[in-house]
Amino acid sequence: MNPKHEANRRRWNAASASYAAMGDRLGNWRKVVEEPGWAFLPEELAILGDVTGQRACVLGSGDNLAVFALAAMGAEVTSVDISEAQIEVARRRAETLDLNVQFLCADVLEIDQLADESYDLVHTSRHVACWVSDLRAFYRQAVRILKPGGLFLVTEYHPLRRIFKNGPERLEVESSYLDRGPFRTEVSEELFDAKIGELEQFEYNWTIADFYAAMTEPGCTLVALDEIGDEAEDWETSNFRGLPQVILLAARKNVP
């Protein structure tokens, strides 16, 4: 594991307790079983269709909302995340929900234990790509494990929102849209604590062109590209109203 990913692993292990507490307060990990809209946008659900009996892999599973939703929708799901603590929380929750999920603690760049062309669906969503140092290597792994004709579905926090400084008064560009990073920050164990702490994390800003190239170069054809929403999110300290919230890309693996 490269040192920057190792730092991010430690960061998420430390933050897992506060993240889990937030999930318990919201109750979203329970709600998602009956209401998949807690995990997926309507546009995603339309693309997914009926997943009954499909093998699905969620890379960078985090809070595992997508994992639980897919399992409840009838898919056979593998959940992959770099954080042991996050995986342990998800494992306990899956047992509570009586969902059969396979869990794998691994860096998304190092998933060789997952067989080639073994999944009908590979999904990664929202704040995942920002933690990965090599987007093309990441998506090569995703496409490798996808069956020919299988669906690769990506939704990510829109990259335009990542270039501004945090601050409620006005939007001020902090870094160029074309500066991919890494951006190093020092953080505390509390996920929502703005104080500087002893942990370090590394983030990356990928462009729309980066996402497109990383998905298509390993042998996929794009079938959907959309920018969705323009409201400010509750957790954001800057008012991004008017800027796109989410970028959605869907591709099918080419059939030889």
Side-chain angles (χ1 to χ4, degrees):
M1 188 182 301
N2 76 50
K4 293 180 177 60
H5 284 200
E6 173 61 24
N8 289 342
R9 184 191 68 82
R10 291 194 298 267
R11 189 269 186 276
W12 276 103
N13 277 343
S16 178
S18 62
Y19 198 40
M22 180 190 70
D24 288 335
R25 288 193 301 272
L26 295 174
N28 47 7
W29 61 274
R30 294 179 181 273
K31 298 173 186 175
V32 75
V33 173
E34 299 294 334
E35 302 175 56
W38 280 95
F40 295 109
L41 298 167
E43 293 86 350
E44 292 178 284
L45 290 172
I47 292 170
L48 285 169
D50 184 3
V51 298
T52 303
Q54 293 188 13
R55 295 199 70 213
C57 184
V58 178
L59 297 174
S61 51
D63 57 17
N64 277 258
L65 296 186
V67 169
F68 299 156
L70 287 169
M73 291 163 67
E76 179 185 337
V77 190
T78 300
S79 167
V80 180
D81 199 84
I82 198 170
S83 165
E84 299 93 337
Q86 291 280 80
I87 287 289
E88 184 53 36
V89 169
R91 196 189 307 275
R92 293 197 304 268
R93 288 175 173 174
E95 290 176 358
T96 299
L97 297 171
D98 196 26
L99 295 175
N100 183 19
V101 176
Q102 293 292 116
F103 290 99
L104 173 63
C105 185
D107 185 328
V108 292
L109 300 187
E110 301 173 3
I111 54 170
D112 292 343
Q113 58 269 63
L114 299 181
D116 294 355
E117 300 185 351
S118 55
Y119 291 94
D120 304 286
L121 165 67
V122 175
H123 176 61
T124 181
S125 63
R126 300 301 177 97
H127 306 271
V128 176
C130 64
W131 301 106
V132 180
S133 61
D134 188 336
L135 186 67
R136 295 193 183 201
F138 175 18
Y139 286 4
R140 279 197 301 271
Q141 286 280 29
V143 175
R144 177 185 64 78
I145 65 174
L146 192 62
K147 295 177 182 178
L151 176 66
F152 184 17
L153 179 61
V154 173
T155 50
E156 280 287 349
Y157 187 64
H158 200 284
L160 275 179
R161 293 197 177 198
R162 295 192 179 278
I163 71 173
F164 296 101
K165 291 182 179 179
N166 290 329
E169 295 181 1
R170 63 176 184 171
L171 293 183
E172 183 178 351
V173 172
E174 183 172 33
S175 62
S176 167
Y177 179 72
L178 299 177
D179 185 355
R180 277 76 167 179
F183 302 95
R184 178 185 178 275
T185 51
E186 295 177 350
V187 294
S188 72
E189 291 186 1
E190 292 296 320
L191 184 60
F192 304 105
D193 188 350
K195 296 178 182 177
I196 294 175
E198 296 182 355
L199 294 166
E200 62 178 354
Q201 65 182 29
F202 295 89
E203 295 180 81
Y204 302 83
N205 293 352
W206 304 112
T207 69
I208 293 173
D210 291 331
F211 286 112
Y212 173 80
M215 290 186 78
T216 58
E217 285 182 2
C220 282
T221 298
L222 204 68
V223 296
L225 171 61
D226 203 355
E227 295 169 292
I228 301 167
D230 64 354
E231 296 298 320
E233 299 197 32
D234 293 341
W235 56 271
E236 292 171 328
T237 56
S238 298
N239 184 6
F240 290 138
R241 188 166 184 246
L243 290 176
Q245 287 176 288
V246 174
I247 179 172
L248 179 154
L249 305 98
R252 292 280 178 184
K253 187 170 181 177
N254 298 336
V255 178

